[in-house]
Amino acid sequence: KRIKSSFFFYFKMKGSIYARESENDTNKAPPIELQVKRGLKWLQENGYELFKAYQDNGFSGGDWRRADFNQLIKDAKRHQFVIVWTWNQDRLARDTEQFLKFYRELKESYVKVYSDTEGWIDMETAGGRIKHTALAMASEAFRLITSEKVKKVYQQKRKEALNKGLQHFWGRKPIKLPLEQIKALKQTGLGYRAIAKELSKENIKVSYMTIRNVLKNTH
């Protein structure tokens, strides 16, 4: 009994940290290293020993494929810790379904969740369920609106680049396309795919869709 009690006490005092940062929402939380620093301070002040700081840097809160997020859930099911600290609920998930699934799985593993800005995340009361579900829904709506805005900006930049004879890639500098060469190849009767194949022989990587759009915008 004494051994079992000591074993339970050792793991009872283990806590973990979940920190996340993406390019589009850095205004929602401090940089990831500061989140971890604050989380470690909170755990120490409240008598918990750090098991692990889970960090997903550069990931959206709506991404279900976050490596550390999924590892946290696996470790919770293995009863490696009893509490998760995070900066705010938004760090955990910006998708309502994902947040509810996360909370349910941690609850079944007897793991509590603490938000530095919102306090204990408890959905056992009507007020708590309404509050945190509403926060999850608002976060998801904000993510979707932001995503739409980013897509519109990208489409506009892509269109402007094509008008200048450039190939625009998401997150990369536009590449200058050989407009005259493309036009000349088109005049020989080649299709878009054939033109792309010819250009690839010269290490010019361009999709047939881009060639089509370039020719369409330069007519």
Side-chain angles (χ1 to χ4, degrees):
K1 286 184 178 179
R2 207 175 273 178
I3 293 173
K4 186 177 180 180
S5 176
S6 299
F7 181 82
F8 178 73
F9 177 78
Y10 177 75
F11 281 98
K12 185 178 73 171
M13 300 308 291
K14 290 283 186 179
S16 64
I17 295 168
Y18 181 74
R20 181 183 65 79
E21 181 180 351
S22 72
E23 294 179 358
N24 296 329
D25 64 1
T26 50
N27 63 316
K28 289 276 185 176
I32 202 164
E33 62 273 10
L34 294 184
Q35 293 178 47
V36 173
K37 185 177 180 181
R38 171 58 188 156
L40 183 58
K41 184 173 184 290
W42 188 92
L43 290 176
Q44 292 172 341
E45 288 176 347
N46 288 273
Y48 293 96
E49 181 182 351
L50 178 67
F51 171 73
K52 181 178 178 180
Y54 299 87
Q55 304 174 54
D56 284 314
N57 203 341
F59 287 87
S60 164
D63 192 340
W64 288 67
R65 298 168 298 177
R66 286 174 279 158
D68 268 23
F69 177 80
N70 288 305
Q71 187 60 51
L72 182 155
I73 295 174
K74 290 178 182 177
D75 290 341
K77 290 179 178 179
R78 297 185 183 113
H79 306 292
Q80 300 289 347
F81 46 83
V82 297
I83 187 174
V84 175
W85 177 97
T86 191
W87 177 259
N88 58 15
Q89 182 178 320
D90 186 78
R91 297 303 89 201
L92 297 171
R94 298 185 72 182
D95 178 283
T96 308
E97 182 184 355
Q98 186 183 43
F99 168 72
L100 294 174
K101 183 175 185 293
F102 172 83
Y103 181 84
R104 182 172 62 254
E105 291 187 333
L106 262 66
K107 180 192 172 187
E108 290 172 354
S109 302
Y110 302 99
V111 175
K112 294 184 177 180
V113 184
Y114 183 84
S115 160
D116 201 78
T117 60
E118 297 142 359
W120 294 101
I121 296 179
D122 185 1
M123 296 177 64
E124 301 313 300
T125 64
R129 183 170 290 274
I130 291 170
K131 172 188 173 182
H132 293 293
T133 302
L135 284 172
M137 292 173 67
S139 183
E140 181 176 10
F142 180 82
R143 175 178 63 84
L144 293 172
I145 291 170
T146 302
S147 177
E148 286 301 315
K149 287 181 179 179
V150 171
K151 285 179 182 177
K152 286 181 180 179
V153 170
Y154 170 71
Q155 291 297 335
Q156 183 60 35
K157 287 181 179 277
R158 184 170 177 274
K159 186 176 180 180
E160 292 173 357
L162 287 172
N163 287 334
K164 296 176 182 177
L166 301 174
Q167 184 175 15
H168 184 69
F169 293 98
W170 186 281
R172 288 180 279 173
K173 291 182 179 179
I175 298 174
K176 185 70 176 178
L177 293 171
L179 273 180
E180 296 306 317
Q181 186 177 358
I182 290 173
K183 289 179 181 178
L185 288 170
K186 183 61 179 173
Q187 288 176 356
T188 64
L190 291 178
Y192 304 130
R193 292 179 187 275
I195 294 173
K197 188 175 181 180
E198 286 297 315
L199 292 174
S200 67
K201 295 177 182 179
E202 301 177 27
N203 289 323
I204 301 174
K205 295 182 180 180
V206 55
S207 71
Y208 78 92
M209 291 291 289
T210 297
I211 291 173
R212 186 188 70 176
N213 290 329
V214 164
L215 291 171
K216 181 179 177 182
N217 282 275
T218 54
H219 282 167

